[in-house]
Coordinates of all heavy atoms in Angstrom, one line a residue:
F217 N 33.0 -29.1 70.1 CA 33.1 -27.8 70.8 C 32.4 -28.0 72.1 O 31.5 -28.9 72.3 CB 32.5 -26.7 70.0 CG 31.1 -26.8 69.6 CD1 30.1 -26.4 70.5 CD2 30.6 -27.4 68.4 CE1 28.8 -26.5 70.2 CE2 29.3 -27.5 68.1 CZ 28.4 -27.0 69.0
L218 N 32.6 -27.1 73.0 CA 31.9 -27.1 74.3 C 30.8 -26.0 74.2 O 31.0 -25.1 73.5 CB 32.9 -26.7 75.4 CG 34.0 -27.7 75.7 CD1 35.0 -27.1 76.8 CD2 33.5 -29.0 76.2
C219 N 29.8 -26.3 75.0 CA 28.7 -25.3 75.0 C 28.3 -24.9 76.4 O 28.1 -25.8 77.2 CB 27.5 -25.9 74.2 SG 26.2 -24.7 73.9
F220 N 28.4 -23.7 76.7 CA 28.0 -23.2 78.0 C 26.7 -22.4 77.8 O 26.5 -21.7 76.9 CB 29.0 -22.3 78.6 CG 30.4 -22.9 78.7 CD1 31.3 -22.7 77.8 CD2 30.7 -23.7 79.8 CE1 32.6 -23.3 77.9 CE2 31.9 -24.3 79.9 CZ 32.9 -24.1 79.0
Y221 N 25.7 -22.6 78.7 CA 24.4 -22.0 78.6 C 24.3 -20.8 79.6 O 24.6 -21.0 80.7 CB 23.3 -23.0 78.8 CG 23.2 -24.0 77.7 CD1 23.8 -25.2 77.8 CD2 22.5 -23.6 76.5 CE1 23.7 -26.1 76.7 CE2 22.4 -24.5 75.5 CZ 23.0 -25.8 75.6 OH 22.9 -26.7 74.5
I222 N 23.8 -19.7 79.1 CA 23.4 -18.6 79.9 C 21.9 -18.5 79.8 O 21.4 -18.3 78.7 CB 24.1 -17.3 79.4 CG1 25.6 -17.5 79.4 CG2 23.6 -16.1 80.2 CD1 26.4 -16.3 78.8
I223 N 21.3 -18.6 81.0 CA 19.8 -18.6 81.0 C 19.3 -17.3 81.7 O 19.7 -17.0 82.8 CB 19.3 -19.8 81.7 CG1 19.8 -21.1 81.0 CG2 17.8 -19.8 81.8 CD1 19.5 -22.4 81.7
S224 N 18.5 -16.6 81.0 CA 17.9 -15.4 81.6 C 16.3 -15.6 81.5 O 15.9 -16.6 81.0 CB 18.3 -14.2 80.9 OG 17.6 -14.1 79.6
K225 N 15.6 -14.7 82.0 CA 14.1 -14.8 82.0 C 13.6 -14.7 80.6 O 12.5 -15.3 80.4 CB 13.5 -13.6 82.9 CG 13.8 -13.8 84.3 CD 13.2 -12.7 85.1 CE 13.5 -12.8 86.6 NZ 12.9 -11.7 87.4
T226 N 14.3 -14.1 79.7 CA 13.7 -14.0 78.3 C 14.3 -14.9 77.3 O 13.6 -15.2 76.3 CB 13.9 -12.5 77.9 OG1 15.3 -12.2 77.9 CG2 13.1 -11.6 78.7
K227 N 15.5 -15.4 77.5 CA 16.1 -16.2 76.4 C 17.3 -17.0 77.0 O 17.9 -16.7 78.0 CB 16.5 -15.4 75.2 CG 17.6 -14.4 75.5 CD 17.9 -13.6 74.2 CE 18.6 -12.3 74.6 NZ 18.8 -11.5 73.4
T228 N 17.6 -18.1 76.3 CA 18.8 -18.9 76.6 C 19.8 -18.7 75.5 O 19.5 -18.8 74.3 CB 18.4 -20.4 76.7 OG1 17.4 -20.6 77.7 CG2 19.6 -21.2 77.0
I229 N 21.0 -18.4 75.9 CA 22.1 -18.2 74.9 C 23.2 -19.3 75.1 O 23.5 -19.6 76.3 CB 22.8 -16.8 75.1 CG1 21.8 -15.7 74.9 CG2 24.0 -16.7 74.2 CD1 22.3 -14.3 75.2
C230 N 23.6 -19.9 74.0 CA 24.6 -20.9 74.1 C 26.0 -20.2 73.7 O 26.1 -19.6 72.7 CB 24.3 -22.0 73.1 SG 25.6 -23.3 73.0
M231 N 27.0 -20.4 74.6 CA 28.3 -19.9 74.3 C 29.1 -21.1 73.8 O 29.4 -22.0 74.6 CB 29.0 -19.3 75.5 CG 28.5 -18.0 75.9 SD 29.3 -17.3 77.4 CE 31.0 -17.7 77.2
K232 N 29.4 -21.1 72.5 CA 30.2 -22.2 71.9 C 31.7 -21.8 72.0 O 32.1 -20.8 71.5 CB 29.8 -22.5 70.5 CG 28.3 -22.9 70.4 CD 27.9 -23.0 68.9 CE 26.5 -23.3 68.8 NZ 26.0 -23.3 67.4
K233 N 32.4 -22.7 72.6 CA 33.9 -22.5 72.6 C 34.5 -23.1 71.4 O 34.5 -24.3 71.1 CB 34.5 -23.2 73.9 CG 35.9 -23.0 74.1 CD 36.4 -23.7 75.4 CE 37.8 -23.5 75.6 NZ 38.3 -24.2 76.8
N234 N 35.0 -22.2 70.5 CA 35.6 -22.5 69.2 C 37.0 -23.0 69.4 O 37.6 -22.7 70.5 CB 35.5 -21.4 68.3 CG 34.1 -21.0 67.9 OD1 33.2 -21.9 67.8 ND2 33.8 -19.7 67.7
P235 N 37.6 -23.7 68.5 CA 39.0 -24.1 68.6 C 39.9 -22.8 68.7 O 39.6 -21.8 68.2 CB 39.3 -24.8 67.3 CG 38.0 -25.0 66.6 CD 37.0 -24.1 67.2
P236 N 41.0 -23.0 69.5 CA 41.9 -21.8 69.7 C 42.5 -21.3 68.4 O 42.7 -22.1 67.4 CB 43.0 -22.4 70.5 CG 42.6 -23.7 71.0 CD 41.5 -24.2 70.1
E237 N 42.7 -20.0 68.3 CA 43.4 -19.4 67.2 C 44.7 -18.7 67.6 O 44.8 -18.3 68.8 CB 42.5 -18.3 66.6 CG 41.2 -18.8 66.0 CD 40.2 -17.6 65.6 OE1 40.7 -16.4 65.6 OE2 39.1 -17.9 65.2
K238 N 45.6 -18.6 66.8 CA 46.9 -18.0 67.1 C 46.9 -16.6 66.4 O 46.5 -16.4 65.3 CB 48.1 -18.8 66.6 CG 48.3 -20.0 67.4 CD 49.5 -20.8 66.9 CE 49.7 -22.1 67.7 NZ 50.8 -22.8 67.2
I239 N 47.3 -15.6 67.2 CA 47.6 -14.3 66.7 C 49.0 -13.9 67.1 O 49.6 -14.5 68.0 CB 46.5 -13.2 67.2 CG1 46.6 -13.1 68.7 CG2 45.2 -13.5 66.7 CD1 45.8 -11.9 69.2
F240 N 49.5 -12.9 66.4 CA 50.9 -12.5 66.6 C 51.0 -11.0 66.7 O 50.3 -10.3 66.1 CB 51.8 -13.0 65.4 CG 51.8 -14.5 65.2 CD1 50.8 -15.2 64.5 CD2 52.9 -15.2 65.7 CE1 50.8 -16.5 64.4 CE2 52.9 -16.6 65.6 CZ 51.9 -17.3 64.9
H241 N 52.0 -10.6 67.5 CA 52.4 -9.2 67.7 C 53.8 -9.1 67.3 O 54.6 -9.9 67.8 CB 52.1 -8.7 69.1 CG 50.8 -9.0 69.7 ND1 49.6 -8.6 69.1 CD2 50.4 -9.7 70.8 CE1 48.6 -9.0 69.8 NE2 49.0 -9.6 70.8
I242 N 54.2 -8.1 66.5 CA 55.6 -7.9 66.1 C 56.1 -6.6 66.8 O 55.4 -5.6 66.9 CB 55.7 -7.7 64.6 CG1 55.3 -9.0 63.9 CG2 57.2 -7.4 64.2 CD1 55.3 -9.0 62.4
Y243 N 57.3 -6.8 67.4 CA 57.9 -5.7 68.2 C 59.2 -5.2 67.5 O 60.0 -6.0 66.9 CB 58.2 -6.1 69.6 CG 57.0 -6.5 70.4 CD1 56.5 -7.8 70.3 CD2 56.4 -5.6 71.2 CE1 55.3 -8.1 71.0 CE2 55.2 -5.9 71.9 CZ 54.7 -7.2 71.8 OH 53.6 -7.5 72.5
L244 N 59.5 -4.0 67.6 CA 60.7 -3.4 67.1 C 61.3 -2.6 68.3 O 60.7 -1.7 68.8 CB 60.5 -2.5 65.9 CG 61.7 -1.9 65.2 CD1 62.6 -3.0 64.7 CD2 61.2 -1.0 64.0
K245 N 62.5 -3.1 68.8 CA 63.1 -2.5 70.0 C 62.1 -2.5 71.1 O 62.0 -1.5 71.9 CB 63.7 -1.2 69.7 CG 64.9 -1.2 68.9 CD 65.6 0.2 68.9 CE 67.0 0.1 68.2 NZ 67.7 1.3 68.2
G246 N 61.4 -3.6 71.3 CA 60.4 -3.7 72.4 C 59.1 -2.9 72.3 O 58.2 -3.1 73.1
E247 N 58.9 -2.2 71.2 CA 57.7 -1.5 71.0 C 56.8 -2.2 69.9 O 57.3 -2.6 68.8 CB 58.0 -0.1 70.5 CG 56.7 0.8 70.3 CD 57.1 2.2 69.9 OE1 58.2 2.7 70.2 OE2 56.2 2.8 69.3
C248 N 55.6 -2.4 70.2 CA 54.7 -3.1 69.3 C 54.4 -2.3 68.1 O 53.9 -1.2 68.2 CB 53.4 -3.5 70.0 SG 52.3 -4.5 69.0
V249 N 54.8 -2.8 66.9 CA 54.6 -2.1 65.7 C 53.5 -2.7 64.8 O 53.0 -2.1 63.9 CB 55.9 -2.0 64.9 CG1 56.9 -1.1 65.6 CG2 56.5 -3.3 64.6
M250 N 53.1 -4.0 65.1 CA 52.0 -4.6 64.4 C 51.4 -5.6 65.4 O 52.1 -6.4 66.0 CB 52.5 -5.4 63.2 CG 53.2 -4.5 62.1 SD 53.7 -5.5 60.7 CE 53.7 -4.3 59.5
N251 N 50.1 -5.5 65.5 CA 49.4 -6.4 66.5 C 48.3 -7.2 65.9 O 47.7 -6.8 64.8 CB 49.0 -5.6 67.7 CG 47.9 -4.6 67.3 OD1 47.7 -4.2 66.2 ND2 47.1 -4.2 68.3
S252 N 47.9 -8.3 66.5 CA 46.8 -9.1 66.2 C 46.8 -9.6 64.8 O 45.8 -9.6 64.1 CB 45.5 -8.4 66.5 OG 45.4 -8.0 67.8
L253 N 48.0 -10.1 64.3 CA 48.1 -10.6 62.9 C 47.8 -12.1 62.9 O 48.2 -12.8 63.8 CB 49.5 -10.4 62.4 CG 50.1 -9.0 62.4 CD1 51.5 -9.0 62.1 CD2 49.3 -8.1 61.4
D254 N 47.0 -12.6 61.9 CA 46.8 -14.0 61.8 C 48.1 -14.6 61.3 O 49.0 -13.9 60.9 CB 45.6 -14.3 60.9 CG 45.7 -13.8 59.5 OD1 46.9 -13.8 59.0 OD2 44.7 -13.5 58.9
S255 N 48.1 -15.9 61.2 CA 49.4 -16.6 60.9 C 49.9 -16.3 59.5 O 51.1 -16.0 59.3 CB 49.2 -18.2 60.9 OG 48.9 -18.6 62.2
E256 N 49.0 -16.2 58.5 CA 49.5 -15.8 57.2 C 50.0 -14.4 57.1 O 51.1 -14.2 56.5 CB 48.3 -16.0 56.2 CG 48.7 -15.7 54.8 CD 47.6 -15.9 53.8 OE1 46.6 -16.6 54.1 OE2 47.6 -15.3 52.7
R257 N 49.3 -13.5 57.6 CA 49.7 -12.1 57.6 C 51.0 -11.9 58.4 O 51.9 -11.1 58.0 CB 48.6 -11.2 58.2 CG 48.9 -9.7 58.1 CD 48.5 -9.2 56.8 NE 48.6 -7.7 56.9 CZ 49.2 -7.0 56.0 NH1 49.7 -7.5 54.9 NH2 49.2 -5.7 56.1
F258 N 51.2 -12.6 59.5 CA 52.4 -12.6 60.3 C 53.6 -13.0 59.5 O 54.6 -12.4 59.5 CB 52.3 -13.4 61.6 CG 53.6 -13.7 62.2 CD1 54.2 -12.7 62.9 CD2 54.2 -14.9 62.1 CE1 55.5 -12.9 63.5 CE2 55.5 -15.1 62.7 CZ 56.1 -14.1 63.4
R259 N 53.5 -14.2 58.8 CA 54.6 -14.7 58.0 C 55.0 -13.7 57.0 O 56.2 -13.4 56.8 CB 54.2 -16.0 57.4 CG 54.3 -17.2 58.3 CD 54.2 -18.5 57.6 NE 52.9 -18.7 56.9 CZ 51.8 -19.2 57.5 NH1 51.9 -19.5 58.8 NH2 50.7 -19.3 56.9
E260 N 54.0 -13.1 56.3 CA 54.3 -12.1 55.3 C 55.1 -10.9 55.9 O 56.1 -10.4 55.4 CB 53.1 -11.6 54.6 CG 52.3 -12.6 53.8 CD 50.9 -12.2 53.4 OE1 50.5 -11.0 53.8 OE2 50.3 -12.9 52.7
Q261 N 54.5 -10.3 56.9 CA 55.1 -9.1 57.6 C 56.5 -9.4 58.2 O 57.4 -8.6 58.1 CB 54.1 -8.5 58.6 CG 52.9 -8.0 58.0 CD 53.1 -6.9 57.0 OE1 53.9 -6.0 57.2 NE2 52.5 -7.0 55.8
W262 N 56.6 -10.6 58.8 CA 57.9 -10.9 59.5 C 59.0 -11.0 58.4 O 60.1 -10.5 58.6 CB 57.7 -12.2 60.3 CG 58.9 -12.6 61.0 CD1 59.8 -13.6 60.7 CD2 59.4 -12.0 62.2 NE1 60.8 -13.7 61.7 CE2 60.6 -12.7 62.6 CE3 59.0 -10.9 63.0 CZ2 61.3 -12.3 63.7 CZ3 59.7 -10.6 64.1 CH2 60.9 -11.3 64.4
E263 N 58.7 -11.7 57.3 CA 59.7 -11.8 56.3 C 60.0 -10.5 55.7 O 61.2 -10.2 55.5 CB 59.1 -12.8 55.2 CG 60.1 -13.0 54.1 CD 59.6 -14.0 53.0 OE1 58.8 -14.8 53.4 OE2 60.0 -13.8 51.9
Q264 N 59.0 -9.7 55.4 CA 59.3 -8.3 54.9 C 60.1 -7.5 55.8 O 61.1 -6.8 55.4 CB 57.9 -7.7 54.5 CG 58.0 -6.4 53.8 CD 56.7 -5.8 53.4 OE1 55.7 -5.9 54.2 NE2 56.5 -5.3 52.2
L265 N 59.8 -7.5 57.1 CA 60.5 -6.6 58.0 C 62.0 -7.1 58.2 O 62.9 -6.3 58.2 CB 59.8 -6.6 59.4 CG 58.6 -5.8 59.5 CD1 57.9 -6.1 60.8 CD2 58.9 -4.3 59.4
N266 N 62.2 -8.4 58.2 CA 63.5 -8.9 58.3 C 64.4 -8.6 57.1 O 65.5 -8.2 57.2 CB 63.5 -10.5 58.5 CG 63.4 -10.9 59.9 OD1 64.4 -10.8 60.6 ND2 62.2 -11.2 60.3
C267 N 63.7 -8.6 55.9 CA 64.4 -8.2 54.7 C 64.8 -6.7 54.7 O 65.9 -6.3 54.3 CB 63.6 -8.5 53.4 SG 63.5 -10.3 53.1
M268 N 63.8 -5.9 55.1 CA 64.0 -4.4 55.2 C 65.2 -4.1 56.1 O 66.0 -3.3 55.8 CB 62.7 -3.7 55.6 CG 61.7 -3.7 54.5 SD 60.1 -3.1 55.1 CE 60.5 -1.4 55.6
V269 N 65.1 -4.7 57.3 CA 66.2 -4.4 58.3 C 67.5 -4.9 57.8 O 68.5 -4.2 58.0 CB 65.8 -5.0 59.7 CG1 67.0 -5.0 60.6 CG2 64.6 -4.3 60.3
G270 N 67.6 -6.0 57.1 CA 68.8 -6.5 56.7 C 69.4 -5.8 55.5 O 70.6 -5.7 55.3
L271 N 68.5 -5.3 54.6 CA 69.0 -4.7 53.4 C 69.1 -3.2 53.4 O 70.0 -2.6 52.8 CB 68.0 -5.0 52.2 CG 67.9 -6.5 51.8 CD1 66.9 -6.7 50.8 CD2 69.3 -7.0 51.3
M272 N 68.2 -2.5 54.1 CA 68.2 -1.0 54.1 C 69.1 -0.5 55.2 O 69.3 -1.2 56.2 CB 66.8 -0.5 54.3 CG 65.8 -0.9 53.2 SD 64.1 -0.4 53.5 CE 64.3 1.3 53.1
K273 N 69.7 0.6 55.0 CA 70.5 1.3 56.0 C 69.6 2.0 57.0 O 69.0 3.1 56.7 CB 71.5 2.3 55.4 CG 72.6 1.6 54.6 CD 73.6 2.6 54.1 CE 74.6 1.8 53.3 NZ 75.7 2.7 52.8
T274 N 69.4 1.4 58.1 CA 68.5 2.0 59.2 C 69.3 1.9 60.5 O 70.3 1.3 60.6 CB 67.2 1.2 59.3 OG1 67.4 -0.1 59.8 CG2 66.4 1.2 58.0
E275 N 68.7 2.5 61.5 CA 69.3 2.4 62.8 C 68.9 1.0 63.5 O 69.4 0.7 64.6 CB 68.8 3.5 63.7 CG 67.3 3.5 63.9 CD 66.8 4.7 64.7 OE1 66.6 5.8 64.1 OE2 66.5 4.5 65.9
Y276 N 68.2 0.2 62.8 CA 67.7 -1.1 63.4 C 68.5 -2.3 62.8 O 69.0 -2.2 61.7 CB 66.3 -1.4 63.1 CG 65.4 -0.3 63.6 CD1 64.7 0.6 62.7 CD2 65.1 -0.1 64.9 CE1 63.9 1.6 63.1 CE2 64.3 0.9 65.4 CZ 63.7 1.8 64.5 OH 62.9 2.8 64.9
V277 N 68.7 -3.3 63.6 CA 69.3 -4.5 63.2 C 68.3 -5.7 63.4 O 67.3 -5.5 64.1 CB 70.7 -4.8 64.0 CG1 71.7 -3.8 63.6 CG2 70.4 -4.9 65.4
K278 N 68.6 -6.8 62.8 CA 67.6 -7.9 63.0 C 67.3 -8.3 64.4 O 66.2 -8.7 64.7 CB 68.1 -9.1 62.2 CG 68.0 -9.0 60.7 CD 68.4 -10.3 60.0 CE 68.2 -10.1 58.5 NZ 68.2 -11.3 57.7
E279 N 68.3 -8.1 65.3 CA 68.1 -8.5 66.7 C 67.1 -7.6 67.4 O 66.6 -7.9 68.5 CB 69.5 -8.5 67.4 CG 70.4 -9.6 67.1 CD 71.1 -9.4 65.7 OE1 71.2 -8.2 65.2 OE2 71.5 -10.4 65.1
D280 N 66.8 -6.4 66.7 CA 65.8 -5.5 67.3 C 64.4 -6.0 67.1 O 63.4 -5.5 67.7 CB 65.9 -4.1 66.7 CG 67.2 -3.4 67.1 OD1 67.7 -3.7 68.2 OD2 67.7 -2.6 66.3
L281 N 64.2 -6.9 66.1 CA 62.9 -7.5 65.8 C 62.6 -8.7 66.7 O 63.4 -9.5 67.0 CB 62.8 -8.0 64.4 CG 62.7 -6.9 63.3 CD1 62.9 -7.5 61.9 CD2 61.4 -6.2 63.4
S282 N 61.3 -8.7 67.2 CA 60.9 -9.8 68.0 C 59.4 -10.0 67.8 O 58.7 -9.1 67.2 CB 61.2 -9.7 69.5 OG 60.6 -8.5 70.0
Y283 N 58.8 -11.1 68.2 CA 57.4 -11.3 68.1 C 56.9 -12.1 69.3 O 57.6 -12.7 70.0 CB 57.0 -12.0 66.8 CG 57.5 -13.4 66.7 CD1 56.6 -14.4 67.1 CD2 58.7 -13.7 66.1 CE1 57.0 -15.8 67.0 CE2 59.1 -15.1 66.0 CZ 58.2 -16.1 66.4 OH 58.6 -17.4 66.3
E284 N 55.6 -12.0 69.5 CA 54.9 -12.7 70.5 C 53.8 -13.5 69.9 O 53.0 -13.0 69.0 CB 54.3 -11.8 71.6 CG 53.5 -12.4 72.6 CD 53.0 -11.4 73.6 OE1 52.8 -10.2 73.3 OE2 52.6 -11.8 74.7
E285 N 53.6 -14.8 70.2 CA 52.5 -15.6 69.7 C 51.5 -15.8 70.8 O 51.9 -16.2 71.9 CB 53.1 -17.0 69.3 CG 52.1 -17.9 68.7 CD 52.7 -19.2 68.3 OE1 53.9 -19.3 67.9 OE2 52.0 -20.3 68.4
V286 N 50.3 -15.5 70.5 CA 49.2 -15.5 71.5 C 48.1 -16.5 71.0 O 47.7 -16.4 69.9 CB 48.6 -14.1 71.8 CG1 47.5 -14.2 72.9 CG2 49.7 -13.2 72.2
E287 N 47.7 -17.4 71.9 CA 46.6 -18.3 71.6 C 45.3 -17.8 72.2 O 45.3 -17.5 73.4 CB 46.9 -19.7 72.0 CG 46.0 -20.7 71.5 CD 46.5 -22.1 71.8 OE1 47.4 -22.7 71.1 OE2 46.0 -22.7 72.8
I288 N 44.3 -17.5 71.4 CA 43.0 -17.0 71.9 C 42.0 -18.1 71.6 O 42.0 -18.8 70.7 CB 42.7 -15.7 71.4 CG1 42.5 -15.7 69.8 CG2 43.6 -14.6 71.8 CD1 42.0 -14.5 69.2
T289 N 41.0 -18.1 72.5 CA 39.8 -19.0 72.3 C 38.6 -18.1 72.1 O 38.0 -17.6 73.1 CB 39.6 -20.0 73.4 OG1 40.9 -20.7 73.6 CG2 38.5 -20.9 73.2
P290 N 38.1 -17.9 70.9 CA 36.9 -17.1 70.6 C 35.7 -17.9 71.0 O 35.6 -19.1 70.9 CB 37.0 -16.9 69.1 CG 37.8 -18.0 68.6 CD 38.7 -18.4 69.6
Y291 N 34.7 -17.2 71.5 CA 33.4 -17.8 71.8 C 32.4 -17.3 70.9 O 32.4 -16.1 70.5 CB 33.0 -17.4 73.3 CG 33.8 -18.1 74.3 CD1 35.0 -17.6 74.8 CD2 33.4 -19.3 74.8 CE1 35.7 -18.3 75.8 CE2 34.1 -20.0 75.7 CZ 35.3 -19.5 76.2 OH 36.0 -20.2 77.2
D292 N 31.5 -18.1 70.5 CA 30.4 -17.8 69.6 C 29.1 -17.7 70.5 O 28.7 -18.7 71.0 CB 30.2 -18.8 68.5 CG 29.0 -18.6 67.6 OD1 28.6 -17.4 67.5 OD2 28.5 -19.6 67.0
L293 N 28.5 -16.5 70.5 CA 27.3 -16.4 71.3 C 26.1 -16.5 70.3 O 26.0 -15.7 69.5 CB 27.3 -15.0 72.0 CG 28.3 -14.8 73.1 CD1 28.2 -13.4 73.6 CD2 28.2 -15.8 74.2
S294 N 25.3 -17.5 70.5 CA 24.2 -17.6 69.6 C 23.0 -18.1 70.4 O 23.1 -18.8 71.4 CB 24.5 -18.6 68.5 OG 24.8 -19.9 69.1
E295 N 21.8 -17.7 70.0 CA 20.6 -18.0 70.7 C 20.2 -19.4 70.2 O 20.4 -19.8 69.1 CB 19.5 -17.0 70.4 CG 19.8 -15.7 71.0 CD 18.6 -14.8 70.8 OE1 17.4 -15.2 70.9 OE2 18.8 -13.6 70.6
N296 N 19.6 -20.1 71.2 CA 19.0 -21.4 70.8 C 17.8 -21.2 69.9 O 17.0 -20.3 70.1 CB 18.6 -22.2 72.0 CG 19.8 -22.8 72.7 OD1 20.9 -22.9 72.2 ND2 19.6 -23.2 74.0
S297 N 17.6 -22.1 69.0 CA 16.3 -22.1 68.2 C 15.3 -22.9 69.0 O 15.6 -23.9 69.7 CB 16.5 -22.7 66.8 OG 17.0 -24.0 66.9
Y298 N 14.1 -22.4 68.9 CA 13.0 -23.1 69.7 C 12.1 -23.9 68.8 O 11.9 -23.6 67.7 CB 12.2 -22.1 70.5 CG 13.0 -21.4 71.5 CD1 13.6 -20.1 71.3 CD2 13.3 -22.0 72.7 CE1 14.3 -19.5 72.2 CE2 14.1 -21.3 73.6 CZ 14.6 -20.1 73.4 OH 15.3 -19.5 74.4

């Protein structure tokens, strides 16, 4: 990991750059209906929504479903031990 230091008059904080994580947003006709899902939750919800749209009589078709994959890099802010 990378470490960036923020130094102030009272303490030093290390910002650790953690490995990137993927999150997903699911859209129905362009409107976000589920956001910030981790990979496992996304797979479950995506499969379930595709089944629902395919099996149930609704105004939606499978082509109305879409998703966005976003890679985020979380930072861990921790104080140095002295």
Side-chain angles (χ1 to χ4, degrees):
F217 64 86
L218 296 175
C219 191
F220 302 97
Y221 290 95
I222 299 174
I223 301 171
S224 71
K225 291 181 180 179
T226 56
K227 60 184 165 186
T228 301
I229 298 174
C230 177
M231 284 180 41
K232 297 176 187 172
K233 185 177 178 183
N234 295 325
E237 297 175 4
K238 289 183 182 180
I239 60 169
F240 298 84
H241 308 304
I242 297 177
Y243 298 86
L244 186 57
K245 287 191 171 182
E247 184 177 335
C248 185
V249 292
M250 297 182 158
N251 65 336
S252 302
L253 303 172
D254 62 31
S255 295
E256 182 179 337
R257 185 83 170 133
F258 166 73
R259 280 191 297 275
E260 293 169 357
Q261 294 301 312
W262 184 252
E263 183 178 329
Q264 188 176 40
L265 285 171
N266 273 282
C267 288
M268 288 173 59
V269 169
L271 295 175
M272 299 175 77
K273 292 184 179 182
T274 66
E275 61 185 79
Y276 303 110
V277 294
K278 286 188 179 191
E279 290 76 24
D280 292 333
L281 286 170
S282 62
Y283 69 90
E284 177 182 22
E285 180 179 328
V286 180
E287 194 171 275
I288 59 171
T289 304
Y291 286 90
D292 176 26
L293 297 176
S294 57
E295 292 185 37
N296 285 345
S297 58
Y298 297 100

